[in-house]
Amino acid sequence: MRTWCLACAVAIAGHAASADDSWPFNAEGRATIGLTNRIPGAAPFLAGDVLFSLGVSGTPLSFELGAYGYLNRTDTPHETYGALAWTFPVAKVSAGVVKPAYDSFALSALDRILPTLGAERARQTRSEATWGAMFDGYLPLGARVESRIGPVDLAVSAHRDKSRKATLVAVGAAWTQGAWTVSGAVEGDVDDDTGTQAKLAAEWRGDRLSAGAAVFVPDSTTLPDLLELSGTYAAAPRIELSGAVQIPLDGAAATVAASGRYQMNSGIGVNIGAGVEDGHDAVVSTYLDWRF
């Protein structure tokens, strides 16, 4: 809980500081609080994928703080980011506990529709560094370089976990042209020739309708590759309907999820989501989230 309290404190302080040019502040991501039957005996949850940046005016230096995952009464599977960043004319370089490049591209729609379920699929959709910090005690230190060249966003990161002798290197990119965005990423463990995972996604955005498809190929001999299809429809000026289906490519039962969102002011919305995991387990969530 202290991680999220700290993140919220940074956000509040940052908004106050943003009125003063001496401490420019930026935030991106989504924070969610709600209830779900996914967590027996611990229905309330707090989830998010957030990154805050507090800059020093007149210098290219900034401080970054963020987190991905969720918290509840009995468990706290999450990764926390904390880094120093230096912005050059053509790129930004960060060092510390940085966000993996793999996690900036081709994101799973389940993270948006059913946040706790999406976080539990991190082994198949997120970086090995993120999954390891959430579920296996990793402390991944590293560096990240990101840039934008015309319509293409690029990022490269490297993480090292000495206790497991793992060195993870990731490369990701996204190309946007008109209504289309194509993104993907590859990550490998340079200390393990077999440790490579990849993902690729394409999304089309119209005035009221958007649709996407993604393929996730995890570095795992026990977990299947996934095909994910998703869509969002703006049914009314403040109402958004979303759906997704994840299809394991080994023939196992699919996971289906849907949600409805009522948009309030300042990016805050009320959501109700439901799904069927692996063809049999029902998941229901209601939550308030803030997109920024």
Side-chain angles (χ1 to χ4, degrees), residues 142-160:
R144 171 181 168 124
V145 180
E146 58 188 89
S147 183
R148 182 175 179 84
I149 303 174
V152 179
D153 291 304
L154 299 166
V156 179
S157 67
H159 290 78
R160 175 68 176 171

Side-chain angles (χ1 to χ4, degrees), residues 70-92:
Y70 67 90
L71 307 178
N72 58 65
R73 292 173 182 168
T74 61
D75 202 4
T76 61
H78 70 281
E79 162 67 315
T80 304
Y81 313 120
L84 293 176
W86 195 273
T87 302
F88 295 93
V90 295
K92 183 173 76 171

Side-chain angles (χ1 to χ4, degrees), residues 189-209:
D189 184 351
V190 299
D191 296 319
D192 180 358
D193 293 339
T194 63
T196 302
Q197 61 181 354
K199 55 183 176 177
L200 180 66
E203 183 179 26
W204 175 84
R205 289 181 176 272
D207 292 336
R208 299 180 63 181
L209 178 68

